[in-house]
């Protein structure tokens, strides 16, 4: 049995695919001494169009895989899995702490625009569950929230088409759809781990008066706070190591994941695992 109080144990980070690497990158920058293990369930991506029952089953299996590796904390770096299954994953991992990305995203939005009108761009499953609307209302009853499903933005990010006329046209179409009626957004929340790659396009089309909120930084701050509070921060002066696991397509994972992580990866950097 691993002692989960061992500070040298890695932080486990899980996503349906490569998008969660944007969160992993922020954690690595904030906590360079921490060992990290990332699992991308690329065999079953996307989660965002699946039923809650399937998403919960996939998330449980991915979590069990990371639990077997021995981790001191789990970050669910997937908005869809956080919206559907966070409570169940907390039960599964107890007493190891589990953090999702929706609470930190809501916190960042409320801090950036108190009493604001927040437009959440997310997957179909996340929007259906309204988790962002609830998390924002709990923190700021004066805020308004609208959620817009943007499935094609996941494909654009996966394909690496994150700028140029095609990306801009698709982003514009979704933003126009979302702001019909009397709703004028003061903030846009990137409520899907893939969307930070389209940050520039979204910010340019939304215009200067709209704040674009990305939960990666706030999640990293929350991870640091949680480890600090439980005296579990790794105080080693050495740079932590990183293991990357994927359930399919290690070559694609390396190519696309490298863009999310901001460094060159090869297929040899990624371990193929079965859940
Ligand atoms: N990782 C998912 C999220 O953050 C997006 C991709 C998917 O649909 O699996 O919601």
């Amino acid at each position: 049995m691993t002692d989960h109080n061992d500070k040298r144990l890695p932080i486990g980070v899980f996503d349906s695919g490569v998008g969660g690497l944007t969160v992993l990158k922020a954690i690595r920058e904030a906590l360079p001494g921490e060992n990290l293990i990332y699992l991308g369930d690329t065999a079953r991506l996307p989660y965002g169009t699946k039923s809650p029952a399937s998403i919960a089953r996939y998330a449980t299996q991915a979590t069990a895989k990371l639990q077997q590796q021995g981790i001191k904390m789990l970050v669910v770096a997937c908005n869809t899995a956080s919206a559907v299954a966070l409570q169940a994953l907390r039960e599964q991992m107890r007493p190891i702490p589990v953090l999702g990305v929706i609470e930190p995203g809501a916190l960042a939005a409320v801090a950036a625009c108190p009493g604001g009108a927040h437009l959440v761009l997310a997957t179909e499953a996340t929007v259906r569950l309204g988790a962002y609307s609830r998390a924002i209302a709990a923190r700021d009853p004066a805020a308004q929230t609208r959620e817009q499903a943007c499935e094609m933005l996941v494909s654009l990010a996966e394909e690496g088409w994150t700028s140029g006329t095609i990306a801009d046209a698709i982003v514009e179409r979704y933003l126009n759809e979302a702001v019909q009626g009397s709703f004028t957004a003061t903030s846009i929340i990137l409520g899907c781990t893939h969307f930070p790659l389209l940050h520039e396009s979204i910010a340019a089309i939304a215009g200067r008066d709209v704040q674009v909120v990305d939960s990666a930084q706030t999640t990293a701050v929350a991870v640091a706070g949680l480890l600090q509070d439980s005296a579990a921060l790794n105080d080693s002066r050495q740079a932590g190591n990183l293991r990357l696991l994927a359930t399919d397509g290690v070559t694609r994972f390396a190519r696309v994941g490298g863009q999310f992580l901001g460094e060159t990866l090869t297929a040899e950097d990624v371990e193929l695992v079965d859940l």
Side-chain angles (χ1 to χ4, degrees), residues 15-16 45-49 77-80 123 126 151 154 191-194:
D15 181 32
S16 54
L45 175 99
Y47 281 11
T49 51
C78 173
N79 289 266
T80 305
T123 64
T126 302
E151 283 305 328
V154 175
C192 169
T193 47
H194 282 62

Side-chain angles (χ1 to χ4, degrees), residues 8-254:
R8 292 162 306 176
L9 284 179
I11 301 168
V13 182
F14 146 65
D15 181 32
S16 54
V18 290
L21 289 169
T22 54
V23 177
L24 181 109
K25 182 169 180 255
I27 297 173
R28 195 144 76 136
E29 281 163 7
L31 301 167
E34 294 294 341
N35 296 315
L36 296 162
I37 178 163
Y38 180 92
L39 170 62
D41 190 9
T42 39
R44 299 185 289 193
L45 175 99
Y47 281 11
T49 51
K50 308 278 173 14
S51 67
S54 295
I55 297 164
R57 183 158 43 90
Y58 298 167
T60 302
Q61 291 168 352
T63 295
K65 190 67 177 188
L66 286 171
Q67 202 169 13
Q68 282 163 20
Q69 314 299 309
I71 54 173
K72 64 179 178 184
M73 177 180 185
L74 175 71
V75 180
V76 184
C78 173
N79 289 266
T80 305
S82 298
V84 173
L86 192 64
Q87 205 39 49
L89 301 181
R90 286 197 166 129
E91 297 296 329
Q92 185 181 346
M93 289 297 289
R94 205 180 293 277
I96 294 170
V98 177
L99 193 80
V101 281
I102 291 182
E103 292 291 322
L107 195 71
V110 165
C113 290
H118 307 283
L119 172 60
V120 182
L121 306 183
T123 64
E124 273 172 35
T126 302
V127 169
R128 217 181 303 128
L129 288 166
Y132 270 101
S133 300
R134 277 195 306 280
I136 291 170
R139 284 181 172 74
D140 184 358
Q144 269 181 282
T145 307
R146 181 170 287 191
E147 303 196 34
Q148 170 73 36
C150 306
E151 283 305 328
M152 278 185 79
L153 301 189
V154 175
S155 313
L156 284 177
E158 281 285 325
E159 206 56 44
W161 292 7
T162 53
S163 60
T165 47
I166 295 175
D168 289 348
I170 296 173
V171 166
E172 191 165 12
R173 167 87 193 250
Y174 281 127
L175 294 189
N176 284 342
E177 224 168 88
V179 298
Q180 274 167 18
S182 60
F183 189 86
T184 308
T186 53
S187 100
I188 291 183
I189 304 174
L190 305 180
C192 169
T193 47
H194 282 62
F195 300 171
L197 263 83
L198 289 142
H199 190 132
E200 256 178 53
S201 171
I202 293 168
I205 289 162
R208 233 183 281 157
D209 298 335
V210 182
Q211 295 246 21
V212 179
V213 178
D214 172 359
S215 63
Q217 306 300 333
T218 16
T219 302
V221 172
V223 169
L226 233 155
L227 291 179
Q228 180 102 50
D229 291 348
S230 50
L233 274 176
N234 186 346
D235 32 31
S236 155
R237 298 246 177 99
Q238 281 173 0
N241 59 40
L242 169 64
R243 272 178 74 200
L244 298 169
L245 315 180
T247 52
D248 199 9
V250 290
T251 305
R252 184 179 171 85
F253 184 101

